[in-house]
Amino acid sequence: MITPSQRGTTTVSEKAVRRIARRAVTESLPGRGVAATSVSATVRGDRARVSLDLALPYPVPVADSVRLVQDHVAARTRRLSGLDVPRAEVSVRALHADAPLLRADPSGPSGGGPVRPGARRWWSSRRLPTAAVTGGATLAGGAVVFDVARVHLLGRPPARWRGGAVDWLSTHGAGELPVVLGGAGAVLMGLVLIVLAVTPGQRHLLSLSPPVDQPVFALDRSAVSALVREAVSDVAGIGRVRVRVGRRRVVVRARLSFGDRAAARGDVQAAARLAVGGCALRRAPRLRITLDPDPTWRQPPAVGPAPAPASAPALAPAPRPQSQSQSQSQSQSQSQSQSQSQSQSAEKAPASPPTQGRT
């Protein structure tokens, strides 16, 4: 009898746990369109830890929905993987409307339906530059106002830094190098502020095709990269996958471990196109696929057409049943032909010479 220690071990990979958890999310709230934007899993021994980022439909009770998702994902993953899943950590990253998104046509609203104005790019509030400029101007202006008020109201002498700055400016002309460098720095800073004011920023966000009278949605590039990477990894024969998502191009680099290269490239391109199309981006990016074979990869042998089956030998037709009179006539004719052949052979045979006796 084989003992349990001799039966071997069963290892469940983290990728399998992630797929089980992702599928369990879609089963947790049937008919409501809940989706997992990101799934991570860690397996240590016979225990698994699952973390989820969700996009819930609107309107739903968020707390109750998250509790249902946690319980269902933990129970489903525990049952299918056989691992101990204490609980699932869930984070709600977005809320989306139940109405389907309307894909916009690049030629304009007339081709793909009405599009909300101003939804072309996701604009940044520029908090850091605004805070830096506002803070610097406030400090400089406040220091000057405070020193002037102190001089005029309290009769105090002006501050040393203000007097030194006035004396330095009075002794240096406009053509000197420090003044030129200071003016160039001010012009450069002004140009930077103008560029920040007229450009949208938020380059890591990709605008979606918004429905009418709905908020504008945006998707992070890392989410698109994760979706494309997951879709390409499911193709048979594909190993490591790297995805780089830009505003107008998605670059996919994959390693081929086994299988036909041309067929795998077509499958990878179809999977990547399907994943990008499912994101409902306002501007569909171009795909660039690079498929590099592993050093151990070998081209599978070409399979020729199957040989045609050997034709069976033709069978002689079965004799037809004959009547009794026909069989008697055939037997008489056969006997007459045999007698005639015997007589002909006797006539053709030479006569044997007579024998002589011994004396």
Side-chain angles (χ1 to χ4, degrees):
M1 180 177 179
I2 300 176
T3 61
S5 60
Q6 297 176 347
R7 296 175 185 171
T9 59
T10 302
T11 303
V12 181
S13 64
E14 297 180 353
K15 185 177 181 179
V17 176
R18 289 198 303 269
R19 291 186 178 180
I20 294 173
R22 186 182 294 275
R23 184 60 181 270
V25 169
T26 60
E27 301 171 352
S28 58
L29 298 177
R32 296 309 304 269
V34 61
T37 59
S38 177
V39 180
S40 62
T42 304
V43 179
R44 294 290 184 272
D46 58 348
R47 294 174 62 89
R49 179 181 178 183
V50 180
S51 300
L52 308 169
D53 291 343
L54 299 183
L56 295 179
Y58 179 85
V60 293
V62 176
D64 297 340
S65 301
V66 169
R67 191 176 302 110
L68 290 175
V69 171
Q70 284 179 329
D71 297 340
H72 183 77
V73 169
R76 190 69 169 168
T77 307
R78 186 184 308 113
R79 179 182 177 184
L80 295 181
S81 66
L83 301 175
D84 183 17
V85 184
R87 61 192 300 270
E89 299 180 0
V90 178
S91 301
V92 179
R93 298 296 184 183
L95 297 176
H96 61 83
D98 289 337
L101 295 177
L102 300 178
R103 182 170 295 280
D105 184 42
S107 59
S110 60
V115 180
R116 179 172 179 170
R120 297 185 61 87
R121 289 288 302 275
W122 193 269
W123 282 76
S124 173
S125 58
R126 306 292 189 186
R127 294 181 180 180
L128 182 60
T130 302
V133 173
T134 304
T138 301
L139 289 177
V144 173
V145 170
F146 176 77
D147 187 64
V148 171
R150 190 172 65 91
V151 170
H152 289 279
L153 296 178
L154 301 179
R156 299 288 185 86
R160 182 177 301 177
W161 61 268
R162 189 162 69 93
V166 172
D167 294 340
W168 188 88
L169 292 175
S170 62
T171 57
H172 291 75
E176 297 186 5
L177 182 60
V179 179
V180 173
L181 292 178
V187 171
L188 182 60
M189 184 179 297
L191 291 177
V192 170
L193 295 177
I194 292 175
V195 170
L196 293 178
V198 300
T199 54
Q202 297 286 1
R203 297 184 61 86
H204 64 283
L205 295 179
L206 301 176
S207 300
L208 306 183
S209 299
V212 182
D213 299 332
Q214 293 292 336
V216 179
F217 298 101
L219 192 63
D220 195 274
R221 293 187 187 183
S222 60
V224 179
S225 176
L227 291 175
V228 175
R229 187 184 305 110
E230 189 73 18
V232 174
S233 299
D234 293 339
V235 177
I238 298 301
R240 186 179 60 182
V241 180
R242 291 184 299 173
V243 180
R244 184 170 59 86
V245 179
R247 289 182 56 243
R248 300 185 180 182
R249 180 180 298 178
V250 176
V251 180
V252 179
R253 298 184 64 91
R255 303 284 291 184
L256 180 61
S257 300
F258 61 89
D260 184 68
R261 187 173 184 178
R265 181 180 180 83
D267 295 341
V268 168
Q269 189 171 7
R273 184 180 292 109
L274 183 62
V276 173
C279 296
L281 300 178
R282 192 183 189 280
R283 175 184 294 175
R286 298 189 302 270
L287 284 176
R288 182 180 177 184
I289 308 297
T290 303
L291 190 61
D292 299 327
D294 283 336
T296 58
W297 174 83
R298 294 294 182 270
Q299 179 70 26
V303 179
S311 59
L315 299 177
R320 300 174 60 183
Q322 298 177 353
S323 61
Q324 185 176 4
S325 60
Q326 292 178 351
S327 61
Q328 291 177 358
S329 61
Q330 288 181 0
S331 60
Q332 292 177 1
S333 61
Q334 290 178 0
S335 61
Q336 292 177 2
S337 60
Q338 289 178 0
S339 60
Q340 291 177 0
S341 61
Q342 290 177 0
S343 61
Q344 291 177 0
S345 60
E347 293 176 356
K348 293 180 180 179
S352 58
T355 57
Q356 297 179 0
R358 293 181 180 180
T359 57

